[in-house]
């Protein structure tokens, strides 16, 4: 692979930034393009806006960060990693992809290969990306430039599954393009390359691997609701079931992030367009979207069991990001739990060691404590069990709370025997 070639990564976020840094490490000439001046300003000041790589990685890299779209003209490869949310009606919102495609079309180097990395519905690369670039450039896809698709599969907050550690699926408009992309990505992915026969196969595979996770978690959540309904402790039941070698290890809980809760709607959208409604996928989403309410009601019933007046009660939510070990609060569903508690007049406070306090206060509309205080608190809701919060001595700290203290441990990570040996009322999902 000719490392003299120039790569432009469009979108300096959780996906695009590590991608740019890795290709830079391999000796490519890399441009990191983003429309957000604040992002580029931080990167030019050797600050990692995502807090995933760390500032040292930015300092050590020679990526050229810019908001100047003219830079794209130099790129032999353009890799797109912009957001692909769904709208309020849960339909794919590809306006970021379209906008990026317009900019690329206006600054296209003939012969370039444009690779979409963002998660999309099957067909989006050929239906949205290619025609938009053609319209802006006046050039023809498959002749004057080429398109491909290669999803990102790294796991946020999981250092063992970064870009180099997960098999990279690649696909291309032609067999030659696919082979060239396999070689390109092969320079930064140690785990290997899977060449998908069609672009749509690669698009679908990405969404479907996240759907499998969403459906499995939804089953655990439905089992948790069922266990609660018949008076059993879910974790006792799962601990027993897990002794079977092929029992799949998923946990009930709040299902957040901008992918697992979103990607099912890409497949729902595309299959419904073709006359089929994937009922299991839809119902799994419904169950997982119900969990914030379920957890709020578990807390409200717990306060009531403690003889507390809801409108006079205070709940401290520990952990606001969407999963342990990450700072990302963008689509943490604990906000829905907070809103429901507030509907009953409960005062909610929050704390999270990773999340930016001002951003969290804006996101959730509650007071954020840099150091969680248990004083005057009626209940602690351990929503995201960051390691720091698993190490708290709750037996000791709960003495500061208004008696009788309540702990709601969403993921059931605390030692129940220790907690129940105290005056603490303990609930878990
Ligand atoms: N965050 C993750 O762990 C993973 C995300 N993905 C997918 O990757 C895609 C990107 O996600 P993230 O990196 O998390 O998003 P992000 O929100 O962290 O970063 C996106 C960046 O793109 C920039 N941007 C938006 N429109 C632009 C345009 N027209 N031109 C240039 N830059 C533009 C934004 O300013 C932002 O800096 C999404 O489709 C997501 O589903 C896939 C796997 C993992
Ligand atoms: C199939 C798969 O493992 N996908 C990964 C996933 O990363 P992400 O951090 O969004 O997913 P996650 O770790 O499953 O967490 C999602 C949400 O689900 C919750 N969760 C997770 C596992 C579980 O058993 N129970 C549960 O409640 C987490 O707390 C979190 O709120 O989505 C990423 C993405 O596509 O953005 C993807 O690259 C990652 O590989």
């Amino acid at each position: 692979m000719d490392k003299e070639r120039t790569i432009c990564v469009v979108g300096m976020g959780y996906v695009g930034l590590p991608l740019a840094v890795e290709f830079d490490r391999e000796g490519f000439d890399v441009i990191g393009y983003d429309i957000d001046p604040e992002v580029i300003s931080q990167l030019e000041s050797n600050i990692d806006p995502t807090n995933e790589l760390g500032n040292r990685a930015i300092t050590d890299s020679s990526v050229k960060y810019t908001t100047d779209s003219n830079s794209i003209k130099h790129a032999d490869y353009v890799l797109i990693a912009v957001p692909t949310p769904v709208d309020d009606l849960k339909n794919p919102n590809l306006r970021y992809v379209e906008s990026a495609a317009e900019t690329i079309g206006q600054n296209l180097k003939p012969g370039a290969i444009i690779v979409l990395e963002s998660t999309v519905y099957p067909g989006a690369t050929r239906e949205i990306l290619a025609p938009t670039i053609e319209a802006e450039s006046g050039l023809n896809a498959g002749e004057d430039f080429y398109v491909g698709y290669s999803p990102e599969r790294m796991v946020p907050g999981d250092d063992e599954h970064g870009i180099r550690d997960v098999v990279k699926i690649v696909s291309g408009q032609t067999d030659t393009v696919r082979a060239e992309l396999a070689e390109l990505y092969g320079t930064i992915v140690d785990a290997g390359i899977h060449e998908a026969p069609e672009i749509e196969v690669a698009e679908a595979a990405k969404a479907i691997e996240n759907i499998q996770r969403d459906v499995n978690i939804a089953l655990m959540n439905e089992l948790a609701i069922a266990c609660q309904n018949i008076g059993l402790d879910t974790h006792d039941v799962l601990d027993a079931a897990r002794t079977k070698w092929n029992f799949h290890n998923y946990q009930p809980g709040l299902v957040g992030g901008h992918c697992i809760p979103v990607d099912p709607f890409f497949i729902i959208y595309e299959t419904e367009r073709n006359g089929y409604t994937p009922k299991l996928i839809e119902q799994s989403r419904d169950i997982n979207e119900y969990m914030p309410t379920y957890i709020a009601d578990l807390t409200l019933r717990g306060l009531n069991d403690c003889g507390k007046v809801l409108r006079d009660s205070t709940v401290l939510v520990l952990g606001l990001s969407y999963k342990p070990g990450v700072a990302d609060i963008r689509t943490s569903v604990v906000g829905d739990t907070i809103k429901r508690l507030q509907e009953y007049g409960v005062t909610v406070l929050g704390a999270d060691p990773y999340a930016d306090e001002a951003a969290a206060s804006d996101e959730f509309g509650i007071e954020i404590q840099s150091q969680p205080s248990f004083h005057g608190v009626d209940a602690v809701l351990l929503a995201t069990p960051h390691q720091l919060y698993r190490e708290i001595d709750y037996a000791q700290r709960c003495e500061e709370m208004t008696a009788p203290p309540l702990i709601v441990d969403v993921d059931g990570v605390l030692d129940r025997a220790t907690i129940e040996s105290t005056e603490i009322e303990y609930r878990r999902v």
Side-chain angles (χ1 to χ4, degrees):
M1 169 58 62
D2 174 4
K3 294 188 178 177
E4 295 304 308
R5 314 205 72 180
T6 298
I7 298 171
C8 176
V9 181
V10 174
M12 287 293 100
Y14 286 88
V15 169
L17 180 58
L19 203 56
V21 168
E22 282 305 326
F23 276 118
D24 172 70
R25 281 181 182 147
E26 280 303 314
F28 287 91
D29 173 28
V30 181
I31 299 160
Y33 167 70
D34 201 294
I35 55 171
D36 186 337
E38 176 53 31
V39 167
I40 296 301
S41 168
Q42 289 185 61
L43 288 165
E44 286 178 322
S45 308
N46 293 322
I47 295 167
D48 169 10
T50 69
N51 288 316
E52 287 279 323
L53 295 179
N55 297 343
R56 183 82 217 161
I58 310 305
T59 306
D60 293 347
S61 83
S62 49
V63 175
K64 289 176 278 305
Y65 300 107
T66 183
T67 57
D68 177 6
S69 57
N70 285 299
S71 307
I72 302 173
K73 290 185 169 73
H74 306 293
D76 302 293
Y77 302 103
V78 183
L79 315 182
I80 305 170
V82 299
T84 49
V86 289
D87 63 22
D88 292 344
L89 297 176
K90 306 295 188 185
N91 289 317
N93 173 351
L94 297 193
R95 64 187 172 88
Y96 296 101
V97 172
E98 288 171 310
S99 169
E102 285 165 8
T103 304
I104 293 162
Q106 294 155 8
N107 298 279
L108 186 62
K109 178 178 181 181
I113 298 177
I114 295 89
V115 184
L116 183 57
E117 290 235 353
S118 302
T119 308
V120 291
Y121 66 83
T125 301
R126 276 192 235 267
E127 283 177 24
I128 304 285
L129 180 72
T132 304
I133 296 172
E134 288 180 319
E136 289 296 325
S137 64
L139 299 176
N140 295 317
E143 293 170 28
D144 308 313
F145 69 93
Y146 301 90
V147 294
Y149 183 79
S150 179
E152 183 44 63
R153 306 162 95 190
M154 66 179 184
V155 184
D158 177 348
D159 295 338
E160 292 176 20
H161 295 99
I163 281 186
R164 289 187 171 272
D165 312 305
V166 185
V167 172
K168 195 86 161 79
I169 300 171
V170 300
S171 62
Q173 194 166 9
T174 68
D175 291 349
T176 306
V177 166
R178 186 185 65 230
E180 184 171 341
L181 292 177
E183 192 182 358
L184 173 70
Y185 283 103
T187 63
I188 64 165
V189 178
D190 303 328
I193 301 295
H194 175 83
E195 295 188 41
E198 292 296 336
I199 285 174
E200 290 73 13
V201 166
E203 291 167 324
K206 171 62 189 176
I208 284 170
E209 66 191 32
N210 280 348
I211 288 171
Q212 182 192 64
R213 198 159 174 81
D214 196 47
V215 169
N216 278 287
I217 299 167
L219 174 61
M220 291 299 114
N221 279 327
E222 181 151 73
L223 294 176
I225 297 167
C227 283
Q228 194 265 340
N229 176 268
I230 56 182
L232 294 176
D233 180 275
T234 311
H235 292 268
D236 290 344
V237 174
L238 293 179
D239 287 346
R242 267 191 208 106
T243 56
K244 183 96 174 338
W245 81 93
N246 59 358
F247 189 80
H248 295 230
N249 189 21
Y250 291 92
Q251 294 287 348
L254 292 168
V255 185
H258 45 262
C259 290
I260 301 289
V262 169
D263 297 356
F265 293 107
F266 292 136
I267 295 298
I268 292 169
Y269 170 80
E270 187 57 16
T271 49
E272 285 189 336
R273 279 207 311 178
N274 288 274
Y276 172 71
T277 297
K279 291 177 283 301
L280 175 61
I281 296 174
E282 284 193 333
Q283 286 166 2
S284 297
R285 271 287 80 223
D286 289 346
I287 291 166
N288 287 338
E289 287 173 0
Y290 169 65
M291 289 311 286
T293 299
Y294 178 77
I295 286 156
D297 291 355
L298 187 65
T299 307
L300 292 165
R301 280 200 305 276
L303 287 168
N304 194 50
D305 294 346
C306 292
K308 302 290 179 69
V309 176
L310 297 182
R311 65 174 178 276
D312 300 336
S313 297
T314 298
V315 173
L316 170 64
V317 179
L318 293 183
L320 298 167
S321 62
Y322 82 89
K323 76 175 190 180
V326 303
D328 200 345
I329 58 173
R330 293 181 298 177
T331 43
S332 172
V333 296
V334 74
D336 296 335
T337 297
I338 291 169
K339 285 195 192 89
R340 185 157 175 89
L341 291 173
Q342 292 173 328
E343 283 167 9
Y344 284 82
V346 173
T347 299
V348 182
L349 308 173
D352 189 295
Y354 292 86
D356 174 86
E357 284 180 36
S361 184
D362 287 347
E363 177 78 20
F364 301 109
I366 59 174
E367 179 192 324
I368 301 297
Q369 297 181 343
S370 50
Q371 295 298 328
S373 165
F374 286 32
H375 284 290
V377 165
D378 297 279
V380 166
L381 171 56
L382 181 54
T384 304
H386 296 302
Q387 187 55 36
L388 183 68
Y389 293 156
R390 295 170 79 129
E391 293 163 359
I392 289 174
D393 177 353
Y394 288 91
Q396 190 263 322
R397 293 291 303 276
C398 284
E399 288 171 15
E400 303 161 26
M401 293 172 66
T402 308
L406 168 68
I407 291 183
V408 179
D409 173 11
V410 172
D411 290 15
V413 298
L414 302 181
D415 179 72
R416 182 180 52 176
T418 304
I419 299 282
E420 290 186 336
S421 68
T422 68
E423 296 304 307
I424 297 170
E425 278 291 319
Y426 180 62
R427 303 284 187 278
R428 60 185 184 183
V429 174

